[in-house]
Amino acid sequence: MTKHSRKRQKLSNEANPLTNDSAKDDEERRLESLLFGTKYVPVGNTGLLQVDAEATEGDGRQFQNLLDNDLFFVDDEVEHNSDRSDYEDQEPSGSGSGSQSENEEGFEEPSTPKKPHSHPKSLQSNRRAPAWIDDSDPTSVSLSSKRLRKLRNAPDEETLPGREYESRLRRQFGRINPEPDWATQARKKTSQPDDRDGDAEMDLNTLLSSTSGIHHSRSLRSQVLAPGTIDISRLRDANQSAQKSGCGDIKSLAFHPSERVPVLCVGSSDRRVRMYNIDGHTSPLLQTLHIPSLPLSSQSSVAFHPSGSHLLLTGSRPYYFVYDLQSGTLSGSDQSKHGLWGTRFEDLSASLESPTSFRKRGRTRGAGVDESASVKSQNTPGAPGMEVTAFEPRTGSILAVAGRGGYVHLVDWKSGAGQVIGSLKCSNGGGGVKGLWWASSSSERYSEVDTGFGSREYLTVLTGDSEVYVWDVGERRCVRRWTDEGGFRGSGRVLAGSGKGSGWLAIGSNTGLVNVYGTDSYTPSTVSTSSSSSSSWSGLTPKPLKTIENLITPISTLRFNHDAQVLAMASKEKKDSMRLIHLPSLTSFSNWPTSSTPLGHVTAVDFSARSEYIAIGNTRGRVLLYHLKNFGAH
């Protein structure tokens, strides 16, 4: 035992190289500190580390009951004039080069402030303890590791705060993995000032008055479409809940004029008008109106008032119905069977009791009566129907109704009694009146003369002989008359116009051709003099900007979208005969429709208030719904 005691004393002598710290260099001292958990002291500072004599006895067996977390840990460096007891009492600051713990791959992880649990406190810390510490947020991070040196902005930068360390990592990740082009473009679109302003202006009342999504952004500025292709996707049919009920052909489609009310009205041959809430998913049915005495026969048979408060229902009868959306009441002018006051519409009873009507009724059943009446009303100049109507777009105070013999009746809508306050006669009215459109009065030159009906308004009329009349409604005077290029007697079919953008006027014929005109066809030219400026109408026949020849059968539907960038044209005579035209370039979109698009025989088309949706009705009783992604998310 004595010899073993001498050997242990001999080994503990300072001359032993294993325990002699003076013979060790800095690299060896650093390795020992990492392996055994001892304090790393550079050469010349050996007096700072005082080893307990009891720790060197027993061949290290006094550590066999300790956990690995207590054996191996890395402490922060302290100042050279501090002793071991002061270091044990202070919390790690994380500012030294040893404040990082290395994982198996050698990558340093940020150290979290924690207190040693195995060493009793001998002295109180001089600094104030924080009220709360989050272990996941390091206070500071050292950049001494080779892997973290790339985060430096300066060569002498050694530590970083936790927030700055996170931003440097994100910057380094962006350098290694740059953002793709599609993400950059999407970020620019979402950060446009118009979108931010529109979201900021949306108050609580606006939010509660809309049925769209909360995160749905409404941009006041429409996106400029590029020619060639259009981004369009098909959604569930709008009337999927009524397809099994046998509603018959779709006759009319009308979206609510306000973008806050996504309601679509669908008029079908079963004399019912159904209202759907268009949400892009299920489109639930809101209400159904049944009018047994009114067969719906044309695209304009269902029309919203510009204010969106009323719904006008017309057909192949000399009277109409009005549905009040706010009160939910349906009122009509058919109580006395006299139609419009002050007109010479043929009496309904005489029309239906004619021998021709009896013969047609005997040969057909059910919906065939409505179909024959519709054809007779549309093709006969003396037909007693009110299929073709048009509201004055600015205030909706005047309703223009196509009558018999080329007459256009002006109905005072404010009175609510269907009183006709004026009539316009289009020469001999060959072929009847086929289309009505009010020219936009937003320009200042249309507001100079007050006519008693508000600002000056111009009404454009198309007859069956392809003659176009432009009427000054205030003066009851035809200011211009011209014939559609390539038109002949009986070729006029449909008329549509839009004052948005550059201004457009489209005329479809029974040959499948669509002539597109500019603003010079329906507006006067301004003549400026030294003293004043005046408006004058050209006596020349306007020339179309382009004749669209995509279809070969009679045109039945023409519809502009809200900003006049897209024109939808269709023919119900041939299956899948529909095209979308890019108006700025006057070319059709080549990617739609495709050979697999189930259009069928298209009978009605309409765009939503902001052109997010386009609804297409056909003879199979389906209302196809498509989403135009260029105009917003659904």
Side-chain angles (χ1 to χ4, degrees):
M1 295 299 294
T2 306
K3 292 181 180 181
H4 291 290
S5 178
R6 293 195 196 98
K7 289 181 180 180
R8 185 163 46 250
Q9 291 177 1
K10 185 177 182 180
L11 291 175
S12 62
N13 192 9
E14 294 181 358
N16 192 345
L18 297 178
T19 58
N20 188 6
D21 294 337
S22 60
K24 300 176 182 178
D25 56 358
D26 291 343
E27 185 66 21
E28 188 176 356
R29 294 170 184 270
R30 187 186 300 274
L31 292 176
E32 286 184 355
S33 64
L34 295 176
L35 182 60
F36 300 108
T38 59
K39 179 62 179 177
Y40 166 69
V41 180
V43 178
N45 297 328
T46 56
L48 295 176
L49 184 60
Q50 300 178 0
V51 182
D52 191 358
E54 297 179 357
T56 61
E57 296 181 358
D59 296 334
R61 297 179 182 177
Q62 65 274 16
F63 300 108
Q64 62 182 358
N65 295 326
L66 297 180
L67 298 176
D68 292 342
N69 295 334
D70 298 331
L71 282 174
F72 303 100
F73 62 91
V74 179
D75 295 328
D76 294 332
E77 290 185 357
V78 296
E79 298 181 357
H80 299 308
N81 57 357
S82 62
D83 57 2
R84 184 178 180 86
S85 61
D86 294 336
Y87 163 73
E88 292 177 353
D89 294 333
Q90 294 180 353
E91 295 181 0
S93 60
S95 61
S97 61
S99 61
Q100 308 296 327
S101 61
E102 297 186 359
N103 55 15
E104 296 179 356
E105 298 180 357
F107 186 82
E108 293 185 1
E109 298 178 354
S111 62
T112 56
K114 63 179 182 179
K115 299 180 180 181
H117 299 284
S118 60
H119 302 283
K121 291 185 179 181
S122 59
L123 295 174
Q124 294 292 337
S125 177
N126 294 329
R127 67 177 183 177
R128 187 175 180 181
W132 177 76
I133 297 176
D134 190 354
D135 296 340
S136 61
D137 296 334
T139 57
S140 61
V141 178
S142 175
L143 302 180
S144 60
S145 174
K146 292 183 179 180
R147 293 197 176 188
L148 296 182
R149 289 177 184 176
K150 63 184 72 176
L151 302 179
R152 294 179 179 178
N153 290 337
D156 56 347
E157 195 171 15
E158 295 294 338
T159 60
L160 287 178
R163 295 292 181 88
E164 182 65 19
Y165 174 72
E166 180 182 356
S167 63
R168 298 279 183 92
L169 288 178
R170 293 182 180 273
R171 183 188 65 182
Q172 184 65 18
F173 180 81
R175 292 176 180 176
I176 300 175
N177 304 295
E179 188 176 35
D181 296 338
W182 62 267
T184 304
Q185 296 177 1
R187 189 184 303 276
K188 291 180 180 179
K189 292 179 182 179
T190 56
S191 61
Q192 291 199 359
D194 290 339
D195 294 341
R196 291 194 298 266
D197 297 342
D199 294 340
E201 294 176 359
M202 182 177 292
D203 53 1
L204 182 60
N205 295 330
T206 304
L207 181 63
L208 296 179
S209 63
S210 173
T211 60
S212 60
I214 297 178
H215 299 286
H216 178 63
S217 61
R218 305 177 185 273
S219 177
L220 300 179
R221 180 183 299 177
S222 299
Q223 182 180 359
V224 178
L225 294 181
T229 60
I230 186 171
D231 194 359
I232 186 172
S233 62
R234 186 186 177 188
L235 305 176
R236 294 181 180 179
D237 293 351
N239 66 336
Q240 58 181 347
S241 59
Q243 290 179 0
K244 297 181 180 180
S245 61
C247 60
D249 300 354
I250 302 299
K251 296 297 183 179
S252 181
L253 295 175
F255 274 97
H256 195 277
S258 175
E259 59 177 317
R260 302 177 182 176
V261 186
V263 174
L264 173 64
C265 288
V266 180
S268 53
S269 59
D270 61 350
R271 306 190 183 190
R272 285 178 171 84
V273 178
R274 296 173 175 86
M275 301 182 186
Y276 299 92
N277 180 22
I278 304 301
D279 56 2
H281 300 284
T282 58
S283 300
L285 177 65
L286 299 178
Q287 192 174 1
T288 301
L289 303 178
H290 186 205
I291 309 100
S293 61
L294 182 64
L296 307 176
S297 56
S298 67
Q299 170 69 46
S300 60
S301 293
V302 178
F304 279 99
H305 189 267
S307 63
S309 58
H310 296 82
L311 184 65
L312 175 66
L313 305 177
T314 60
S316 56
R317 296 291 184 269
Y319 50 84
Y320 62 90
F321 288 88
V322 178
Y323 179 73
D324 191 341
L325 297 178
Q326 297 179 355
S327 62
T329 57
L330 182 67
S331 60
S333 62
D334 65 328
Q335 287 80 4
S336 58
K337 303 295 183 183
H338 291 300
L340 295 177
W341 289 25
T343 65
R344 294 182 297 173
F345 271 108
E346 186 179 357
D347 186 65
L348 176 63
S349 59
S351 174
L352 294 181
E353 296 297 330
S354 62
T356 305
S357 177
F358 273 119
R359 287 196 299 268
K360 289 186 178 180
R361 186 180 305 175
R363 289 196 300 262
T364 57
R365 295 182 181 180
V369 178
D370 301 337
E371 187 68 23
S372 62
S374 173
V375 174
K376 178 177 182 297
S377 176
Q378 293 180 5
N379 298 334
T380 306
M386 295 178 57
E387 298 94 340
V388 183
T389 59
F391 278 106
E392 184 270 318
R394 188 172 59 88
T395 60
S397 58
I398 303 177
L399 173 65
V401 181
R404 299 174 57 196
Y407 276 94
V408 177
H409 305 290
L410 304 178
V411 180
D412 184 11
W413 184 263
K414 292 182 179 179
S415 63
Q419 178 64 43
V420 177
I421 56 178
S423 297
L424 309 174
K425 180 66 169 64
C426 298
S427 186
N428 57 0
V433 176
K434 296 298 183 180
L436 299 173
W437 175 63
W438 293 82
S440 175
S441 61
S442 59
S443 179
E444 294 180 357
R445 62 184 179 183
Y446 301 149
S447 305
E448 297 174 356
V449 181
D450 192 356
T451 62
F453 301 94
S455 61
R456 175 170 294 183
E457 300 289 347
Y458 295 97
L459 180 63
T460 306
V461 182
L462 173 67
T463 65
D465 291 343
S466 297
E467 289 185 341
V468 180
Y469 295 80
V470 181
W471 292 87
D472 188 334
V473 177
E475 297 180 2
R476 307 290 197 277
R477 180 173 61 93
C478 180
V479 295
R480 193 174 189 182
R481 174 184 176 184
W482 47 279
T483 303
D484 180 30
E485 182 172 321
F488 50 89
R489 184 173 183 179
S491 64
R493 286 291 182 173
V494 61
L495 170 73
S498 176
K500 301 296 181 64
S502 302
W504 309 92
L505 179 67
I507 299 176
S509 64
N510 62 354
T511 60
L513 302 180
V514 177
N515 291 330
V516 181
Y517 297 86
T519 54
D520 59 339
S521 61
Y522 60 87
T523 58
S525 59
T526 303
V527 179
S528 300
T529 60
S530 57
S531 59
S532 62
S533 61
S534 60
S535 300
S536 63
W537 293 87
S538 175
L540 302 177
T541 301
K543 297 295 182 180
L545 301 177
K546 186 176 181 180
T547 300
I548 303 175
E549 304 175 353
N550 294 82
L551 303 181
I552 59 175
T553 52
I555 304 298
S556 59
T557 302
L558 288 176
R559 185 73 67 179
F560 289 89
N561 76 321
H562 78 286
D563 58 357
Q565 292 193 75
V566 181
L567 170 64
M569 63 179 190
S571 173
K572 65 179 179 181
E573 304 296 333
K574 186 178 180 180
K575 186 178 180 181
D576 300 337
S577 294
M578 179 179 174
R579 295 294 185 272
L580 294 181
I581 305 300
H582 181 257
L583 285 173
S585 64
L586 293 176
T587 57
S588 62
F589 292 102
S590 60
N591 65 323
W592 194 90
T594 63
S595 58
S596 59
T597 305
L599 294 177
H601 295 267
V602 178
T603 56
V605 178
D606 196 21
F607 291 91
S608 61
R610 301 298 298 180
S611 301
E612 298 95 342
Y613 304 103
I614 177 174
I616 304 171
N618 56 28
T619 56
R620 292 179 294 180
R622 300 176 60 184
V623 179
L624 306 178
L625 188 63
Y626 288 86
H627 171 49
L628 300 180
K629 299 181 181 180
N630 301 92
F631 295 97
H634 69 277

